[in-house]
Amino acid sequence: MDGNGRWAKKRMMPRAFGHKRGVEAVREITRAARGMGLEALTLYAFSSENWKRPADEIADLMGLLRTFIRNDLDEFVANNVRLRIIGEYQALAPDIVELIEDAMARTAHNTGTTLAIALNYGSQQEIARAAAKAAAKGAITPEAIEAELDTASLPPLDLLIRTSGEVRLSNFLLWQAAYAEMWFTDVLWPDFSPAHLQEALDQFGARERRFGGR
Ligand code: FPP
């Protein structure tokens, strides 16, 4: 969800303002994903590398996360949205861990769209953890690793969208992206609307996927 900082800067506002508008976009896109019947939507909210940011920005992001879960949980419950977290969220502040675990428990049996939020997430770390778990159980095969990934309860990744003109994966879903389609846009995350999501899906629908076959 790149571009919050640049979105705010263009308006001569602090980065926190951009992140706040970024949460509005999260809310709108989650509702749109549900309306479009998407099985799952995974959002990269905080990477394991984001700890390098200034402490006040990290505090702002954590504050937004708290408010988001507190305010939006009832809507998820009412609308059959299942919340999942990928990443090492247990390292976040204890009150956030509690909020997250309560929200996951309250939505665990929902069968509509799964909203997965990546928190303290790094794909290389995820793969290393999964490989270690697979090794502890037996042979390290692609299937055994896949079964131990944080995304094991999610459907295969079909489409990966990156906003704000960045054209790299930045340690997000590296394993899962093996056969995913990619869609890059210059739109900054706070401006990313359901119409943009629809555009990405339309283009995705027009692509031929061969998964290495022919
Ligand atoms: C990247 O933009 C964005 C982030 C590192 C944070 C994304 C977080 C949110 C949208 C809010 C919290 C999320 C939830 C689910 C409540 P950037 O800061 O790198 O912007 P820039 O690339 O323009 O500098």
Side-chain angles (χ1 to χ4, degrees):
M1 298 189 283
D2 271 301
N4 295 343
R6 277 164 285 166
W7 186 93
K9 196 174 176 196
K10 279 209 291 189
R11 288 159 181 80
M12 319 252 252
M13 296 294 282
R15 294 178 65 81
F17 185 65
H19 290 316
K20 200 155 179 259
R21 284 299 291 259
V23 179
E24 300 293 322
V26 166
R27 194 166 284 130
E28 222 189 331
I29 293 300
T30 303
R31 286 179 185 148
R34 187 163 56 74
M36 293 169 186
L38 295 192
E39 202 179 335
L41 172 73
T42 304
L43 300 172
Y44 205 176
F46 196 85
S47 76
S48 24
E49 290 73 33
N50 284 153
W51 295 111
K52 294 180 208 149
R53 294 196 176 204
D56 60 342
E57 184 172 358
I58 295 173
D60 285 336
L61 287 168
M62 295 300 153
L64 287 170
L65 179 64
R66 282 186 182 93
T67 323
F68 176 72
I69 297 177
R70 283 198 192 111
N71 292 347
D72 290 54
L73 179 58
D74 286 346
E75 183 174 329
F76 299 155
V77 172
N79 291 312
N80 202 21
V81 172
R82 184 176 72 125
L83 183 77
R84 302 290 307 158
I85 304 294
I86 62 168
E88 296 176 276
Y89 72 88
Q90 297 85 350
L92 301 181
D95 70 299
I96 299 185
V97 175
E98 200 175 313
L99 275 174
I100 286 171
E101 291 185 341
D102 170 61
M104 288 202 289
R106 279 186 62 196
T107 61
H109 301 293
N110 288 352
T111 53
T113 301
T114 294
L115 172 65
I117 304 182
L119 293 172
N120 192 22
Y121 175 83
S123 187
Q124 292 175 336
Q125 295 88 325
E126 176 199 28
I127 295 167
R129 272 189 279 114
K133 284 191 206 160
K137 290 183 184 172
I140 308 179
T141 62
E143 294 74 23
I145 292 176
E146 193 148 296
E148 302 295 344
L149 292 172
D150 297 356
T151 51
S153 75
L154 299 177
L157 180 65
D158 285 324
L159 173 64
L160 193 146
I161 298 176
R162 183 149 194 187
T163 56
S164 91
E166 309 287 4
V167 194
R168 54 176 177 269
L169 292 183
S170 298
N171 210 11
F172 187 54
L173 302 180
L174 303 179
W175 179 288
Q176 297 83 346
Y179 285 102
E181 297 293 323
M182 312 268 172
W183 197 74
F184 297 99
T185 175
D186 287 337
V187 174
L188 304 177
W189 175 254
D191 290 328
F192 192 82
S193 69
H196 295 118
L197 179 60
Q198 189 60 60
E199 189 186 339
L201 292 175
D202 289 346
Q203 290 187 18
F204 168 79
R207 292 189 192 173
E208 191 196 343
R209 303 181 78 197
R210 291 189 299 277
F211 300 95
R214 49 178 297 218

